[in-house]
Amino acid sequence: MRWSLIFIPIVVATSAVAADRAPLPAWMTGAWQMGEGERWGDEYWTPPRGGMMIGAARIGRGEVLKEWESTRIAYDEAGKLAYWAMPKGAPATKFSVTEQTPTSITFVNAGHDYPQRVRYWREGASLKAEIALADGSKPVRFDYRPMGR
């Protein structure tokens, strides 16, 4: 009986924290592609589930793979959204959310070399992404459309 009395407040407290969390960016879900001439790229995001979205990306030229990355968006130990990047299987680098709207999200890690800022947003049916320094300088943009279109 004692265990039940301790368990109930923990469940209530956990539910209250979960209700205060910012939503995962479900609008990023899908298979996305870009390309120009021989250059191509694709990015994939799973739907939010279990407090996490899992992503993967590839960039190449012709049949040659130049870059690849595993990513995730999830809640960190403080209950805030964060983005973890693992380029070419490297250990995860955390970027903390700094801004979020219903159709955009920005993550920053000013201590990282490059990128320091990772930003995603929707424009109609397109998914846009940008990496840059924390102040927005040295931007590299990606313009994805839904795969198969």
Side-chain angles (χ1 to χ4, degrees):
M1 188 60 101
R2 274 183 161 186
W3 183 81
S4 297
L5 295 175
I6 293 170
F7 181 70
I8 291 170
I10 291 171
V11 171
V12 171
T14 303
S15 298
V17 170
D20 291 341
R21 287 182 170 181
L24 286 157
W27 48 266
M28 290 173 59
T29 300
W32 304 93
Q33 66 183 356
M34 64 177 187
E36 184 178 319
E38 288 282 305
R39 296 175 59 174
W40 55 268
D42 48 32
E43 188 156 337
Y44 308 87
W45 284 100
T46 63
R49 191 166 193 183
M52 180 184 293
M53 293 175 70
I54 298 173
R58 302 180 293 189
I59 294 176
R61 180 181 293 271
E63 291 300 315
V64 178
L65 178 66
K66 299 286 188 179
E67 301 287 333
W68 64 274
E69 184 172 52
S70 299
T71 52
R72 72 180 181 271
I73 298 173
Y75 299 98
D76 65 13
E77 60 284 346
K80 304 293 183 190
L81 281 179
Y83 174 94
W84 284 267
M86 295 150 283
K88 296 183 177 179
T93 299
K94 178 184 170 187
F95 296 78
S96 299
V97 71
T98 58
E99 185 178 345
Q100 183 176 14
T101 73
T103 58
S104 70
I105 194 161
T106 303
F107 303 93
V108 173
N109 177 341
H112 191 252
D113 56 359
Y114 188 90
Q116 296 176 333
R117 184 175 82 178
V118 178
R119 180 174 164 241
Y120 287 93
W121 69 99
R122 286 293 297 267
E123 285 185 14
S126 297
L127 176 68
K128 308 284 187 169
E130 180 184 79
I131 57 173
L133 292 177
D135 65 2
S137 62
K138 298 187 180 180
V140 175
R141 287 199 169 179
F142 305 90
D143 185 5
Y144 295 105
R145 62 188 182 284
M147 199 166 278
R149 289 189 191 175

